[in-house]
Amino acid sequence: MTCVHRPGRENIMRALVSVRTVKGNAPWWIIVCLLALPLPTLAQTESRNKIPAKARENEKSNLTETDRLEAQRRAFAVSLVTSLANDARSYNDLALRPRVLARAADVLWDANNVAARALFVRAWEAAEAGDAEDVTVNTKDKPPAMVIALRKMSGRDLRSEVLSLAARRDKALGEQFLAKLKSENERETSDTKNSGGSHNAFSGSEASLKRLLVASKLLSDGQVDLAREFAMTALTEVNNASIGFLGELRAKDPAAADQIFALLLARTELDPAADANTISGLSSYAFTPGFYIVFWADGHGTWNQPEGPTVPPNLPTSLRDRFFQVAANVLLRPLPPPDQDFSSSGRLGRLQVIRRLLPLFDLYAPDSATALRAQLPSSSRNINNSDNALLTEGIKPEGSAGETLEKMQDQLNHA
């Protein structure tokens, strides 16, 4: 005799119904198997239903305890950071004060947004005080003014550090700090013009430089869209920082970078203040990424050079042709009288830019090359620019070792 176990109340009921439907007198052992044997199984099922309920209560209790401990640890950490930030306000070190305040604000941002914003504001004010004293560049040996100027031009100051952290957390907060910096720069620019100074065609304004430095950091963190949006205001002018950022953006999003470059070309074509250095800067994006050069009125150049070799980007043909069209239009504009020439390049710098770009015009826009060559003095129209490294850097490929030795030998023979 074999009995089949079917646990649960529903199985018992189905068994009873099946028994009732049997015609005739069913054997007594069938009824016993159906009624008696499932009862222990039912008891086991009910006991199992009770165990998970207790387990769930214990689990809930454990989770509640874990959450409570986590909340305590979080509150303790917040209090420590807040206490550190309060202590930082009394630091005598003007460079350490804004750095601690900014990093404390960055840590507290998710836990206490209101307090973090207030700390960022205090950090910016402390950074302004520190930058005013040049605490990031002043040392015991008192570096020359050129070192301090280069430090500021590179954007490596306290306000840049605070701005970078704040902009990552909140774009609007970064814009608020940049607005303060922009008003200060406008006052400095006005004072420079009144004193007879000129615009820096290489680096641009300090506010734009800091904006692009922050955007570059966002780009390196993978926040491509936010970096592009934050940088757009500074991408309306051509300088080393703006073209350098466009080159970095092209590595992440070529279509977006090319679109911004096309807008710069259109703006340059309509801008009466665009000069030879504007074209030289645009050529950096199109042909020599990382190598940026401007020429001044006396003919000397200022440049920025990458560590590795420059590799020309694969620009769409239409965009490359558009560059040569705009470049020719600007470089072939009628020259103003010498006493009315307010361009950054001047006449001599303009000739240097033409000499540098002529090999590219010969290759891609020969018609314009003929007109540009006519602008050069007759004594230098057929000049070989290979002796001037600045005029060929990134434009012509470097010669082989044999060619270099041959050139050196020729120079020795004619020494």
Side-chain angles (χ1 to χ4, degrees):
M1 178 180 65
T2 302
C3 297
V4 179
H5 294 268
R6 296 183 179 181
R9 296 179 181 273
E10 295 181 359
N11 292 333
I12 294 175
M13 295 302 297
R14 285 197 295 269
L16 291 175
V17 172
S18 63
V19 170
R20 292 192 187 98
T21 58
V22 176
K23 294 183 180 180
N25 294 326
W28 63 271
W29 51 268
I30 295 178
I31 299 175
V32 172
C33 287
L34 292 175
L35 294 179
L37 291 179
L39 292 179
T41 305
L42 177 61
Q44 294 175 4
T45 303
E46 292 177 352
S47 64
R48 282 198 299 268
N49 290 336
K50 293 180 180 179
I51 293 175
K54 293 181 179 179
R56 285 194 297 270
E57 292 179 359
N58 293 334
E59 183 179 358
K60 183 178 180 181
S61 176
N62 292 335
L63 287 176
T64 302
E65 181 67 16
T66 302
D67 293 341
R68 187 178 64 81
L69 293 175
E70 178 65 24
Q72 288 180 351
R73 287 193 292 267
R74 189 179 185 87
F76 180 69
V78 169
S79 65
L80 283 179
V81 175
T82 304
S83 177
L84 177 63
N86 291 333
D87 293 341
R89 298 172 60 184
S90 59
Y91 288 172
N92 294 326
D93 190 331
L94 296 182
L96 184 60
R97 185 189 304 169
R99 287 168 176 161
V100 173
L101 288 171
R103 281 160 179 76
D106 185 53
V107 172
L108 291 177
W109 186 265
D110 294 328
N112 191 339
N113 185 265
V114 175
R117 287 177 180 274
L119 286 178
F120 269 131
V121 173
R122 293 174 185 170
W124 180 262
E125 294 172 351
E128 287 180 325
D131 288 339
E133 297 294 333
D134 292 331
V135 295
T136 59
V137 293
N138 284 340
T139 56
K140 294 180 180 180
D141 56 355
K142 295 183 178 181
M146 177 61 71
V147 175
I148 297 177
L150 290 175
R151 178 83 174 190
K152 289 184 176 181
M153 187 175 68
S154 65
R156 297 191 182 100
D157 55 15
L158 296 173
R159 284 173 295 180
S160 294
E161 296 181 25
V162 176
L163 179 61
S164 178
L165 291 174
R168 290 181 184 182
R169 288 299 188 176
D170 188 350
K171 179 175 177 290
L173 185 60
E175 294 287 354
Q176 177 183 336
F177 292 153
L178 280 171
K180 295 180 179 180
L181 185 62
K182 184 177 180 180
S183 61
E184 177 184 340
N185 292 154
E186 288 176 349
R187 289 194 300 269
E188 293 179 355
T189 302
S190 177
D191 295 340
T192 301
K193 290 181 179 179
N194 294 335
S195 61
S198 59
H199 172 67
N200 191 336
F202 184 81
S203 62
S205 67
E206 184 181 0
S208 296
L209 176 61
K210 283 182 169 54
R211 177 183 292 276
L212 292 169
L213 285 172
V214 173
S216 181
K217 291 180 180 179
L218 293 173
L219 195 62
S220 62
D221 291 341
Q223 303 182 55
V224 179
D225 294 338
L226 180 59
R228 185 181 66 252
E229 292 175 3
F230 195 80
M232 280 303 297
T233 305
L235 296 178
T236 58
E237 56 185 19
V238 179
N239 52 58
N240 179 43
S242 62
I243 297 300
F245 174 80
L246 273 185
E248 296 176 4
L249 179 61
R250 197 175 199 281
K252 303 280 187 178
D253 191 346
D258 287 349
Q259 183 178 9
I260 296 174
F261 181 66
L263 293 175
L264 272 178
L265 289 174
R267 181 184 294 270
T268 299
E269 188 176 35
L270 299 175
D271 185 7
D275 58 14
N277 281 329
T278 308
I279 301 304
S280 180
L282 292 171
S283 72
S284 174
Y285 178 86
F287 295 99
T288 60
F291 182 83
Y292 191 98
I293 184 171
V294 299
F295 291 96
W296 306 104
D298 60 358
H300 85 278
T302 301
W303 68 94
N304 181 65
Q305 189 169 3
E307 295 181 358
T310 56
V311 180
N314 186 21
L315 287 184
T317 303
S318 58
L319 187 60
R320 186 190 63 198
D321 293 343
R322 177 65 174 150
F323 162 75
F324 284 108
Q325 178 186 3
V326 174
N329 289 339
V330 173
L331 294 175
L332 293 174
R333 287 176 180 174
L335 292 176
D339 59 341
Q340 298 180 16
D341 189 354
F342 302 108
S343 63
S344 63
S345 60
R347 296 195 171 203
L348 190 54
R350 171 178 168 273
L351 294 178
Q352 292 286 71
V353 173
I354 292 177
R355 289 190 182 100
R356 172 172 167 77
L357 297 181
L358 259 179
L360 295 176
F361 275 96
D362 288 334
L363 183 61
Y364 297 107
D367 293 340
S368 298
T370 302
L372 287 172
R373 188 169 278 105
Q375 300 293 313
L376 299 176
S378 57
S379 59
S380 63
R381 290 178 184 176
N382 298 319
I383 191 172
N384 185 0
N385 292 333
S386 60
D387 293 335
N388 192 335
L390 289 179
L391 293 178
T392 60
E393 179 66 33
I395 301 297
K396 291 183 179 180
E398 297 182 0
S400 62
E403 293 175 350
T404 302
L405 291 175
E406 183 179 354
K407 179 181 177 181
M408 293 174 62
Q409 184 62 49
D410 182 70
Q411 291 176 345
L412 289 174
N413 293 338
H414 292 83

